[in-house]
């Protein structure tokens, strides 16, 4: 029996060896989670943390933007269980990030876009070509519906909370 050669691919490849869409997704994740250094600390924040300052709506916008990385995972054949975890991270960020003050702090510390891009780069199927948009349309639509439902629930809950507090006077 001939010995088979086991090839363990590099988990994090330099941009020169990645497909262009993955380079763009990596830059996007950096923009969303670590674009700007916080003066006097070692922390960095991104657009996602800035969007969280807009109650409810900012979280919804951030969730829809974060879905781009999930679509990249579908395109590059990341296993379904890992994609489900990626969606879960976005939903956690959307729901917990919408809590006033505490949610903003959570949003600054929880970097789901970087976690998701790292999972995409690690678990993508390098042996097969990426799927076309038409091949992932159904799954991508379902993911957008789930994210939209969560965002709608968050905005509705915040609206009811504001109305309830206004009626307490």
């Amino acid at each position: 029996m001939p010995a088979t050669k086991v090839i363990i691919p590099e988990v994090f490849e330099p941009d020169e060896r990645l497909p262009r869409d993955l380079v763009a997704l990596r830059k996007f994740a950096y923009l969303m989670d670590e674009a700007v250094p916080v003066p006097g600390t070692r922390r960095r924040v991104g657009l996602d943390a800035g969007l969280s300052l807009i109650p409810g709506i900012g979280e919804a916008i951030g969730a829809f933007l974060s879905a781009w990385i999930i679509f990249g995972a579908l395109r590059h054949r990341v296993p379904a269980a890992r994609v489900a975890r990626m969606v879960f991270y976005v939903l956690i960020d959307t729901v917990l990030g919408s809590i006033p003050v505490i949610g903003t702090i959570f949003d600054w510390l929880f970097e789901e876009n970087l976690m998701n891009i790292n999972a995409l780069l690690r678990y993508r199927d390098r042996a097969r070509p990426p799927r076309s948009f038409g091949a992932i349309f159904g799954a991508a639509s379902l993911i957008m519906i789930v994210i939209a439902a969560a965002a709608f629930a968050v905005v509705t809950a915040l609206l009811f909370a504001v109305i309830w507090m206004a009626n307490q006077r």
Side-chain angles (χ1 to χ4, degrees):
M1 180 186 295
T4 59
K5 183 176 179 183
V6 176
I7 299 173
I8 300 174
E10 222 177 354
V11 174
F12 299 104
E13 299 166 289
D15 286 352
E16 301 83 37
R17 294 182 51 202
L18 286 174
R20 286 188 333 206
D21 63 330
L22 291 181
V23 173
L25 286 174
R26 182 187 277 176
K27 290 177 182 178
F28 172 74
Y30 179 80
L31 171 73
M32 289 295 286
D33 288 342
E34 289 192 337
V36 180
V38 177
T41 69
R42 294 183 182 183
R43 297 285 312 159
R44 299 179 69 86
V45 296
L47 181 62
D48 193 32
L51 287 170
S52 73
L53 297 174
I54 307 168
I57 303 297
E59 291 301 327
I61 293 169
F64 286 122
L65 290 173
S66 295
W68 187 27
I69 297 171
I70 298 170
F71 298 158
L74 292 171
R75 178 171 154 70
H76 287 278
R77 301 175 187 271
V78 172
R82 187 60 55 177
V83 171
R85 181 178 285 181
M86 294 168 79
V87 172
F88 178 72
Y89 289 156
V90 171
L91 294 177
I92 287 289
D93 183 57
T94 302
V95 172
L96 294 181
S98 67
I99 300 169
V101 182
I102 294 170
T104 301
I105 294 168
F106 173 79
D107 227 359
W108 288 24
L109 299 175
F110 187 69
E111 299 176 333
E112 88 278 0
N113 294 297
L114 290 176
M115 290 188 298
N116 284 347
I117 192 66
N118 289 337
L120 189 162
L121 294 173
R122 182 172 184 193
Y123 294 103
R124 69 189 175 103
D125 186 352
R126 293 169 179 83
R128 298 189 304 179
R131 294 180 177 120
S132 67
F133 180 74
I136 65 168
F137 180 77
S141 299
L142 180 61
I143 288 169
M144 288 303 287
I145 290 169
V146 167
I147 290 173
F152 179 76
V154 164
V155 170
T156 303
L158 286 174
L159 184 62
F160 280 127
V162 168
I163 292 170
W164 179 80
M165 288 189 313
N167 288 333
Q168 295 302 311
R169 293 205 231 173

